[in-house]
Amino acid sequence: MMGFETRTTQAGAVVIRPEGRLNMVAAPRLREQLRELVENGSTRLVVDLGAIDFIDSSGLGALISGLKSARQAGGDLRIAAPTDQVQNVLTLTNLNRVLRSHDSADSAFDGG
């Protein structure tokens, strides 16, 4: 299973950058990759949504699953650069209150 691109910020957070549509086809890959990152000790995660042009309920589920895994391991999952479509879905579902959004992946964990 092909994974999404990852990198580490100066603050030590792991950034994962899915692209295109985060739907029932791609969401299981994201969910699995986030789970593996947490299992391997990366508990500060940032999902860069700047290249996502569509997200559905399965994509949201993958984000929430990653958030839960990271928090259970003593960390956090934050999102960065959500596109308008993603931001609209987050607002409509009130998940914008749960998933902290940041302008960039590099600033997501600045200051704490």
Side-chain angles (χ1 to χ4, degrees):
M1 183 179 289
M2 180 90 168
F4 297 108
E5 175 187 331
T6 61
R7 66 182 176 84
T8 304
T9 68
Q10 284 189 316
V14 175
V15 178
I16 185 167
R17 190 167 202 268
E19 296 181 4
R21 298 173 66 85
L22 193 47
N23 58 14
M24 61 188 238
V25 175
R29 273 193 311 172
L30 178 61
R31 181 186 308 250
E32 180 65 18
Q33 194 167 352
L34 289 170
R35 186 187 61 74
E36 286 176 4
L37 286 168
V38 171
E39 284 181 355
N40 291 326
S42 300
T43 59
R44 293 175 9 130
L45 305 173
V46 181
V47 181
D48 182 342
L49 298 172
I52 295 296
D53 44 347
F54 176 83
I55 190 168
D56 67 7
S57 60
S58 50
L60 293 174
L63 293 175
I64 295 300
S65 174
L67 175 68
K68 185 177 176 185
S69 295
R71 286 191 176 167
Q72 286 177 338
D76 200 8
L77 178 143
R78 299 177 184 175
I79 59 173
T83 59
D84 288 344
Q85 192 273 339
V86 172
Q87 191 60 55
N88 288 338
V89 171
L90 290 169
T91 301
L92 285 170
T93 58
N94 281 326
L95 287 175
N96 58 332
R97 297 172 187 219
V98 177
L99 291 166
R100 293 183 54 191
S101 180
H102 300 270
D103 291 338
S104 75
D106 291 297
S107 69
F109 277 96
D110 283 356

